[in-house]
Amino acid sequence: MPVLYDKVALIGLGLIASSMALAMRRAGLAGSIVGHARSADTRAVALELGLIDAACATAAECVADADLVVFCVPVGVMDALAAEVGPHLAPGACVTDVGSVKQAVIAAIGPHMPAGVHFIPGHPLAGTEHSGPRAGFAELFDKRWCILTPMEDTDPAALTRLQDLWKGMGAYVDQMDPAHHDLVLAVTSHTPHLIAYTMVGVADDLRRVTDSEVIKYSAAGFRDFTRIAASDPTMWRDVFLTNKDATLEILGRFTEELFALQRAIRRGDGDHLHEYFTRTRAIRRSIIEAGQDTDAPDFGRAKVK
Amino acid sequence: MPVLYDKVALIGLGLIASSMALAMRRAGLAGSIVGHARSADTRAVALELGLIDAACATAAECVADADLVVFCVPVGVMDALAAEVGPHLAPGACVTDVGSVKQAVIAAIGPHMPAGVHFIPGHPLAGTEHSGPRAGFAELFDKRWCILTPMEDTDPAALTRLQDLWKGMGAYVDQMDPAHHDLVLAVTSHTPHLIAYTMVGVADDLRRVTDSEVIKYSAAGFRDFTRIAASDPTMWRDVFLTNKDATLEILGRFTEELFALQRAIRRGDGDHLHEYFTRTRAIRRSIIEAGQDTDAPDFGRAKVK
């Protein structure tokens, strides 16, 4: 594929940034890639792994002359970061981010963007429970969705170029209104993560069942919760603080449903339970048909050594 | 390995029974395997796949002369099944089951067991979201735990032989008190399943987020819930009806914790959230070290075609 950006600046060098670097290199999408992380160790690792061609000690230095700047940091620090780099952005540069919420990111970054810079918020829906520059892999975005939430006055050419970058990194690209994005993600990501964190916390807290029992017998269902409950704590703290309204709305719906099922258990209402469990089965089939998961038994984990 | 049982009778021919048949054949543990399922179609499929050497139209017929009888049916029908086959069991035969709860199974089966028959309740902690005789595979129990809950007067030789069978099928074997089993499973399996069913039900129910959005963007976390929420509805209805007390206890703890996190979100208490999310991360590491899950990125699902 052709080079889409001559100089890409990655601010933050964690799982997403390192995977973007590898995916851009795989397809030859970037002339050069520079990066900044607060930790000197992280910068050294990113250089050593060949993720970036040069490491910058400051974010401001990093964005100079870059025609694409990607904010790959927790949502809570985007405001300060945008304030720092705003004055150093090159005219005509595109600024995007990979944050899990979009309204709060727009409020944090938008005011700091100078005229002539194209700010296009983005969110690749991909990740693992691992963090840091060593966690990245080039295939992370393959067949996963990246949602862009452009503004009304977004330059069409800048938008097309950023879409092409994500497609070149293997992703499917969608556009969405920022408020709708935050609601959809509250359902598909934020509330499930909070629930998984809660379930793992309960298991860890119980005195009547030991940790070693929880671990040994986790394959019975609990295991599936622990992966998402092992995600980066800082990132998730910021998600819940900045997508408060949508998350609380979906949590309210969740507890309402949970109490109805709890009452059915208490009353011995087997028909209610059976009907509910039958309905939820269909949606799984749709996810597999949409290519968003594997149908292999046990996720193919049966072959784990 | 040596043949441990001359004639094994599998009552019920679903995922667990079909996997047991394949695992027994893989290691040569059974002289012959016969099976019964209520549906003639299921019996025909089991014969066609070579899971069983003979199909019996009734459970009573099936257990005659068998030295091992395995109840692989939902917990809710075990009482009636035990009443039916009790008078036909061979003296000295071992009767076991694979039910997900143990106190209720003992109450259902125990009274129907004639003197001289060894009843040893069991529960292999393995499964997938698929059902039926075609869902089975020989590796299902490899490196997974099977919990036996023997009675005080259980014959040691019969217990050893059944343990050897499970080990021969690839499993690790543990013994546990039935009440403790039911509590441990309420934590590691029953409550997680109920929560997953609830979350999937909420997503399916919302009118403001479409089903197709939930499906497309499921890789962001929701996906991990849908697998366990696709498990067999009848089996799970019976689990909740028969392990009511332990499930309701753990659900109570869960909602208590969830409300505390919900309050932290509402109040913007980032420290509480960060501390909680850090603590839950450690338990994931322990599960991987215990060999109960893979550390591969995205469960290795990155390579899904």
Side-chain angles (χ1 to χ4, degrees):
Chain A
M1 288 196 54
V3 168
L4 289 169
Y5 296 95
D6 289 329
K7 180 181 169 188
V8 175
L10 300 173
I11 315 293
L13 294 166
L15 165 69
I16 299 294
S18 55
S19 297
M20 286 183 74
L22 294 167
M24 285 189 282
R25 293 204 190 280
R26 180 182 67 175
L29 303 168
S32 72
I33 304 175
V34 299
H36 165 73
R38 277 184 307 181
S39 145
D41 276 358
T42 302
R43 297 196 297 267
V45 169
L47 269 177
E48 173 206 325
L49 295 176
L51 303 173
I52 52 177
D53 301 303
C56 308
T58 69
E61 210 180 305
C62 197
V63 305
D65 307 320
D67 48 359
L68 178 67
V69 176
V70 190
F71 286 16
C72 306
V73 296
V75 175
V77 299
M78 288 207 186
D79 189 335
L81 177 64
E84 181 193 344
V85 305
H88 304 276
L89 292 166
C94 179
V95 173
T96 189
D97 77 297
V98 298
S100 306
V101 303
K102 294 275 63 80
Q103 293 176 106
V105 162
I106 291 167
I109 296 179
H112 303 291
M113 292 297 104
V117 162
H118 307 290
F119 170 45
I120 308 173
H123 179 202
L125 275 62
T128 74
E129 69 274 32
H130 301 294
S131 310
R134 295 189 190 280
F137 53 105
E139 301 80 15
L140 180 62
F141 309 111
D142 286 353
K143 299 184 200 299
R144 296 290 167 251
W145 288 91
C146 179
I147 300 175
L148 302 178
T149 62
M151 317 287 155
E152 270 183 26
D153 61 351
T154 296
D155 177 60
L159 179 58
T160 300
R161 188 144 67 126
L162 186 60
Q163 284 178 325
D164 288 345
L165 180 78
W166 279 108
K167 289 177 190 166
M169 291 191 289
Y172 307 128
V173 182
D174 249 358
Q175 289 182 36
M176 211 180 269
D177 168 78
H180 190 64
H181 167 278
D182 289 356
L183 179 67
V184 168
L185 270 289
V187 175
T188 57
S189 179
H190 305 168
T191 306
H193 272 80
L194 193 74
I195 288 163
Y197 277 122
T198 307
M199 188 66 230
V200 175
V202 167
D204 191 38
D205 235 29
L206 282 176
R207 292 291 165 265
R208 292 172 57 202
V209 175
T210 67
D211 271 2
S212 75
E213 285 173 328
V214 168
I215 291 160
K216 275 166 73 175
Y217 309 128
S218 61
F222 180 72
R223 179 180 67 180
D224 287 8
F225 285 61
T226 62
R227 191 185 71 87
I228 66 176
S231 306
D232 184 62
T234 303
M235 173 191 150
W236 282 99
R237 176 197 64 197
D238 289 357
V239 164
F240 294 117
L241 294 179
T242 57
N243 198 21
K244 182 185 292 199
D245 294 344
T247 304
L248 291 177
E249 181 193 334
I250 304 305
L251 268 180
R253 288 278 296 116
F254 173 82
T255 46
E256 193 181 308
E257 292 280 328
L258 186 63
F259 287 161
L261 288 172
Q262 191 170 324
R263 195 174 55 168
I265 293 173
R266 200 180 297 280
R267 290 181 172 180
D269 184 351
D271 290 344
H272 180 98
L273 296 172
H274 193 273
E275 186 276 328
Y276 201 96
F277 299 164
T278 303
R279 192 160 58 83
T280 50
R281 202 172 200 184
I283 206 163
R284 172 75 186 165
R285 175 58 38 200
S286 312
I287 286 174
I288 290 163
E289 282 165 8
Q292 293 302 302
D293 206 350
T294 169
D295 197 28
D298 208 24
F299 289 141
R301 282 186 292 206
K303 295 190 190 72
V304 172
K305 297 298 171 228
Chain B
M1 289 196 57
V3 168
L4 289 169
Y5 296 96
D6 289 329
K7 179 181 171 189
V8 175
L10 300 173
I11 315 293
L13 294 168
L15 165 69
I16 299 294
S18 55
S19 297
M20 287 183 74
L22 293 167
M24 285 189 283
R25 293 205 190 279
R26 180 182 66 174
L29 303 168
S32 72
I33 304 175
V34 299
H36 165 73
R38 277 185 308 180
S39 144
D41 276 357
T42 302
R43 297 196 297 267
V45 169
L47 268 177
E48 172 205 324
L49 295 176
L51 302 173
I52 52 176
D53 300 304
C56 309
T58 69
E61 209 180 306
C62 197
V63 305
D65 306 321
D67 48 359
L68 178 68
V69 175
V70 191
F71 286 17
C72 305
V73 296
V75 174
V77 298
M78 289 208 186
D79 189 336
L81 177 63
E84 180 192 346
V85 304
H88 304 276
L89 291 165
C94 178
V95 173
T96 188
D97 76 298
V98 298
S100 306
V101 302
K102 294 275 64 81
Q103 292 175 105
V105 162
I106 291 168
I109 297 180
H112 302 293
M113 293 297 103
V117 162
H118 307 290
F119 170 45
I120 307 173
H123 178 202
L125 275 62
T128 75
E129 69 274 31
H130 301 294
S131 311
R134 295 188 191 280
F137 54 104
E139 300 80 15
L140 180 63
F141 309 110
D142 286 353
K143 300 184 200 299
R144 296 290 168 253
W145 288 91
C146 179
I147 300 175
L148 302 178
T149 61
M151 317 286 155
E152 270 184 28
D153 61 351
T154 296
D155 177 59
L159 179 59
T160 300
R161 188 144 67 126
L162 185 60
Q163 283 178 324
D164 288 346
L165 179 79
W166 278 107
K167 289 177 189 166
M169 290 190 290
Y172 307 128
V173 182
D174 249 357
Q175 289 182 35
M176 213 179 270
D177 168 78
H180 190 65
H181 168 278
D182 289 357
L183 180 67
V184 168
L185 269 290
V187 175
T188 57
S189 179
H190 305 169
T191 306
H193 271 80
L194 194 74
I195 288 164
Y197 277 122
T198 307
M199 187 66 231
V200 176
V202 167
D204 191 39
D205 234 28
L206 282 176
R207 291 291 166 264
R208 292 172 57 202
V209 174
T210 66
D211 272 2
S212 75
E213 286 174 327
V214 168
I215 290 159
K216 274 165 74 174
Y217 308 128
S218 62
F222 180 71
R223 179 182 66 181
D224 288 7
F225 286 61
T226 61
R227 191 185 70 87
I228 65 178
S231 307
D232 184 64
T234 302
M235 172 190 151
W236 282 99
R237 176 197 64 197
D238 289 358
V239 164
F240 295 117
L241 295 178
T242 56
N243 198 21
K244 183 186 291 201
D245 293 344
T247 304
L248 291 177
E249 181 194 333
I250 303 305
L251 268 180
R253 288 278 296 116
F254 173 83
T255 46
E256 193 182 308
E257 292 280 328
L258 186 63
F259 286 161
L261 288 172
Q262 191 169 325
R263 194 174 57 168
I265 293 173
R266 199 180 297 280
R267 289 181 171 180
D269 184 351
D271 290 344
H272 180 98
L273 296 172
H274 192 273
E275 186 276 328
Y276 200 96
F277 299 164
T278 303
R279 193 160 57 82
T280 50
R281 202 172 200 184
I283 206 163
R284 171 76 186 165
R285 177 58 37 201
S286 312
I287 286 174
I288 290 163
E289 282 165 7
Q292 293 302 302
D293 205 351
T294 168
D295 197 28
D298 208 24
F299 290 140
R301 283 187 291 206
K303 295 191 192 69
V304 173
K305 297 300 171 226

